[in-house]
Amino acid sequence: KRSRYVIRVYPSESFQNSYETKKPAVIATIVAFIFFFTSMTFIIYDCLVEKRNSVIMNRAVQNSKIVHSLFPETVRERILMTESNREERVTGRGRGKGKRKGAVE
């Protein structure tokens, strides 16, 4: 017949206290704060971009209304074509659908 002995070892209170710290709670709080800060930064940035785009669209609509009320259709088309050609010269790309002169296929 085999006898079984069981040994139970318990740490002393000072030994146990040396391993029980608030470090996990502090780290979790820091991570939560970083997540919150990043989220708020994104939300604020998104609101600012929305506001800027709204202002730009309102100005574009106003300018378009002014151009439509002041100039006949043929003059408007000429103005837009001139602007398209200027943009093509400056940036190398325009609103036109054709290929640029000297473009390699």
Side-chain angles (χ1 to χ4, degrees), residues 3-55:
S3 359
R4 268 170 94 176
Y5 293 101
V6 177
I7 299 176
R8 297 179 192 226
V9 179
Y10 296 100
S12 67
E13 191 173 325
S14 63
F15 185 74
Q16 186 174 356
N17 289 339
S18 68
Y19 284 95
E20 290 180 357
T21 65
K22 294 181 181 180
K23 190 174 183 179
V26 170
I27 291 173
T29 303
I30 291 171
V31 169
F33 177 75
I34 290 171
F35 181 76
F36 176 75
F37 178 76
T38 304
S39 299
M40 292 308 297
T41 302
F42 174 74
I43 290 170
I44 291 170
Y45 174 76
D46 187 50
C47 290
L48 292 174
V49 168
E50 279 290 322
K51 184 177 178 182
R52 187 190 78 191
N53 286 346
S54 176
V55 168

Side-chain angles (χ1 to χ4, degrees), residues 37-93:
F37 178 76
T38 304
S39 299
M40 292 308 297
T41 302
F42 174 74
I43 290 170
I44 291 170
Y45 174 76
D46 187 50
C47 290
L48 292 174
V49 168
E50 279 290 322
K51 184 177 178 182
R52 187 190 78 191
N53 286 346
S54 176
V55 168
I56 290 171
M57 283 302 296
N58 288 338
R59 287 182 184 167
V61 168
Q62 287 174 349
N63 289 339
S64 178
K65 286 180 182 178
I66 290 170
V67 168
H68 281 262
S69 69
L70 292 178
F71 300 107
E73 186 175 351
T74 55
V75 176
R76 280 196 309 259
E77 288 177 8
R78 197 173 341 143
I79 290 171
L80 292 176
M81 288 301 291
T82 303
E83 181 62 32
S84 176
N85 290 340
R86 184 180 304 132
E87 182 179 310
E88 186 174 312
R89 277 182 279 155
V90 170
T91 63
R93 55 179 185 218

